[in-house]
């Protein structure tokens, strides 16, 4: 063991000498020393094992010593850092710019399960909010209380065929009522116009809705003056939230880079994780979204204590999801973007 340790120690030292001295000297001094030690002890340093190997085509492969991966002549390396400003903001739809309280999908999920003979609560319906609507239905079937009710009704737990059937039923029901939930959140249109015209930002959008559902939202929003520069639906990418693909597709369509120059704004856990997974800044909206779960009139009717309690819960959920900032509504976004610009200028990344 002593001989082996000494051999490896000296061989490693010789390797370092070989790459520290000028090239000609290192070959003349260090390599013969390594070879001599290995011949005397019969022990080879792992990094110096150059036994020939061959690929499937019979071509000889050469092993590269680990020491070759170092560059001792350069003590420093350059790191490319973005220090410009925010270039784009990618917004969610329901709970962010319209449909305060995110009622449009929630009520339909309740109806879909009611039609199956397995009632669910509004809280259960809202749990997976932000995901692709089929994934949302699937996640509802994973909830223990829902599974127990399903088994009591059918004698078995829900499976993928049930998910497919319920999603097929969900789509026409959602399309039929979606136009009734397109009221813009107060201040959303003016804020987005400020971002576009004053701050010079591009506006993208992502959602858990499918393309045909988004088309309804876009038409209604355009009549109110909200026109995002890019829009990506959940069925346009391999996997929707919390995966990053919708953000990246927006970046491509908007021609915006790097990703740290993008801010994702959402009111759900999956929407926040979509942004952080994509590598951009994530801002949560607490008051108008899924976790306060009330429209404007219902919020105004709350007592101060109830309002603070619901808002605190929403803040905590979004912060725990990884949001860099949590604010009440989209109207509070401009100062956040200015602070992100400050952080970017100092070399910070999301």
């Amino acid at each position: 063991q002593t001989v082996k340790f000494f051999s490896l120690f000296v061989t490693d030292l010789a390797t370092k000498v070989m790459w520290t001295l000028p090239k000609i000297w290192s070959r003349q001094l260090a390599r013969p020393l390594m070879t001599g030690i290995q011949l005397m002890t019969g022990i080879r340093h792992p990094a110096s094992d150059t036994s020939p190997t061959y690929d499937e085509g019979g071509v000889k492969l050469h092993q590269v010593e680990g020491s070759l991966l170092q560059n001792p002549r350069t003590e420093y390396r350059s790191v490319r850092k973005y220090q410009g400003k925010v270039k784009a903001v990618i917004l969610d739809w329901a709970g962010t710019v319209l449909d305060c309280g995110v009622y449009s999908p929630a009520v339909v999920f309740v109806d879909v399960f009611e039609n199956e003979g397995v009632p669910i609560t509004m809280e259960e319906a809202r749990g997976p909010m932000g995901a692709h609507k089929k994934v949302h239905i699937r996640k509802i079937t994973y909830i223990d209380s829902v599974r127990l009710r399903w088994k009591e009704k059918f004698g078995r737990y829900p499976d993928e065929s049930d998910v497919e059937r319920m999603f097929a039923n969900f789509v026409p029901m959602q399309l039929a009522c979606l136009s009734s939930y397109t009221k813009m959140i107060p201040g959303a249109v003016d804020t987005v116009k400020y971002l576009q015209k004053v701050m010079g930002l591009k506006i993208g959008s992502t959602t858990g809705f499918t393309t045909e559902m988004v088309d309804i939202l876009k038409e209604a929003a355009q009549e109110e003056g909200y026109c995002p520069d890019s829009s990506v639906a959940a069925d346009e990418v391999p996997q929707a939230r919390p995966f990053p693909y919708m953000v990246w597709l927006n970046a491509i369509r908007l021609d915006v880079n790097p990703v740290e120059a993008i801010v994702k704004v959402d009111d759900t856990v999956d929407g926040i994780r979509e942004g952080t997974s994509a590598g951009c800044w994530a801002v949560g909206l607490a008051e108008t979204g899924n976790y306060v779960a009330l429209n404007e009139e219902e919020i105004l009717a709350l007592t101060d204590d109830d309002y603070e309690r619901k808002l605190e819960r929403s803040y905590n959920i979004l912060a725990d999801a990884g949001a860099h900032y949590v604010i009440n509504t989209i109207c509070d976004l401009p100062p956040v973007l200015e602070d992100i610009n400050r952080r970017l200028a100092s070399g910070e990344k999301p």
Side-chain angles (χ1 to χ4, degrees):
Q1 291 294 329
T2 303
V3 172
K4 182 177 180 180
F5 174 80
F6 177 76
S7 171
L8 292 175
F9 171 78
V10 175
T11 304
D12 190 58
L13 178 61
T15 302
K16 293 178 179 178
V17 170
M18 181 173 65
W19 295 107
T20 303
L21 296 174
K23 186 174 181 181
I24 296 179
W25 292 7
S26 66
R27 291 185 181 277
Q28 291 176 345
L29 298 176
R31 194 175 292 280
L33 177 60
M34 290 171 58
T35 304
I37 293 172
Q38 291 167 357
L39 289 175
M40 288 187 294
T41 62
I43 300 174
R44 297 180 63 83
H45 192 278
S48 64
D49 187 1
T50 56
S51 301
T53 55
Y54 301 86
D55 66 9
E56 295 179 354
V59 179
K60 186 176 180 180
L61 304 176
H62 299 279
Q63 183 176 352
V64 178
E65 296 179 3
S67 56
L68 289 175
L69 303 179
Q70 301 175 1
N71 187 353
R73 294 178 179 83
T74 303
E75 294 182 346
Y76 300 93
R77 66 184 180 90
S78 298
V79 178
R80 186 178 172 89
K81 281 190 176 183
Y82 178 72
Q83 58 183 9
K85 294 184 177 182
V86 172
K87 297 179 180 179
V89 175
I90 298 178
L91 303 170
D92 175 45
W93 282 92
T96 297
V97 296
L98 48 70
D99 187 15
C100 182
V102 197
Y103 274 94
S104 58
V107 295
V108 179
F109 288 129
V110 170
D111 290 343
V112 166
F113 277 83
E114 181 71 31
N115 292 344
E116 294 288 324
V118 182
I120 62 173
T121 66
M122 185 62 78
E123 184 176 359
E124 289 167 338
R126 289 182 175 279
M129 197 68 75
H132 186 297
K133 300 315 176 194
K134 182 190 290 187
V135 175
H136 189 129
I137 292 172
R138 185 181 298 122
K139 288 184 176 181
I140 292 176
T141 66
Y142 292 164
I143 299 173
D144 289 339
S145 56
V146 176
R147 292 176 67 81
L148 289 175
R149 270 176 253 142
W150 194 282
K151 189 173 184 181
E152 289 175 2
K153 175 70 176 180
F154 299 107
R156 62 174 179 82
Y157 293 118
D159 57 26
E160 191 60 24
S161 65
D162 299 312
V163 173
E164 293 288 346
R165 183 183 63 258
M166 285 189 286
F167 179 67
N169 295 333
F170 168 87
V171 172
M173 294 170 66
Q174 183 69 91
L175 291 172
C177 74
L178 196 55
S179 59
S180 300
Y181 296 94
T182 55
K183 180 182 177 183
M184 298 299 295
I185 289 172
V189 173
D190 290 338
T191 299
V192 171
K193 287 182 178 179
Y194 177 85
L195 300 182
Q196 291 174 311
K197 297 180 179 180
V198 178
M199 300 188 73
L201 302 177
K202 296 179 179 179
I203 303 297
S205 68
T206 68
T207 181
F209 288 121
T210 61
T211 300
E212 55 185 339
M213 297 172 192
V214 173
D215 288 341
I216 294 175
L217 297 178
K218 287 166 63 177
E219 182 178 355
Q222 189 171 5
E223 293 177 359
E224 299 293 328
Y226 174 60
C227 302
D229 302 300
S230 170
S231 181
V232 178
D235 57 350
E236 294 186 72
V237 292
Q239 295 189 81
R241 299 166 179 163
F243 297 93
Y245 305 119
M246 285 194 288
V247 170
W248 290 344
L249 185 52
N250 267 286
I252 292 170
R253 291 177 176 177
L254 294 171
D255 189 19
V256 170
N257 72 91
V259 73
E260 52 261 42
I262 297 174
V263 178
K264 175 70 204 322
V265 182
D266 208 289
D267 67 289
T268 65
V269 167
D270 276 359
I272 294 300
R273 290 175 178 167
E274 172 190 38
T276 55
S277 296
C280 58
W281 303 88
V283 179
L285 301 184
E287 182 180 305
T288 58
N290 186 59
Y291 305 116
V292 169
L294 299 173
N295 60 36
E296 296 93 336
E297 293 77 15
E298 292 168 330
I299 290 174
L300 291 174
L302 291 173
T303 65
D304 291 343
D305 288 344
D306 282 344
Y307 173 78
E308 290 299 330
R309 177 177 54 81
K310 287 180 176 292
L311 196 63
E312 182 179 5
R313 174 178 176 270
S314 184
Y315 264 78
N316 289 337
I317 291 172
L318 295 168
D320 289 344
H324 298 94
Y325 300 83
V326 182
I327 54 181
N328 282 16
T329 76
I330 191 174
C331 301
D332 304 316
L333 186 59
V336 170
L337 300 180
E338 294 293 354
D339 192 59
I340 292 175
N341 284 337
R342 176 190 61 79
R343 295 173 69 176
L344 285 170
S346 66
E348 283 192 56
K349 289 188 175 183

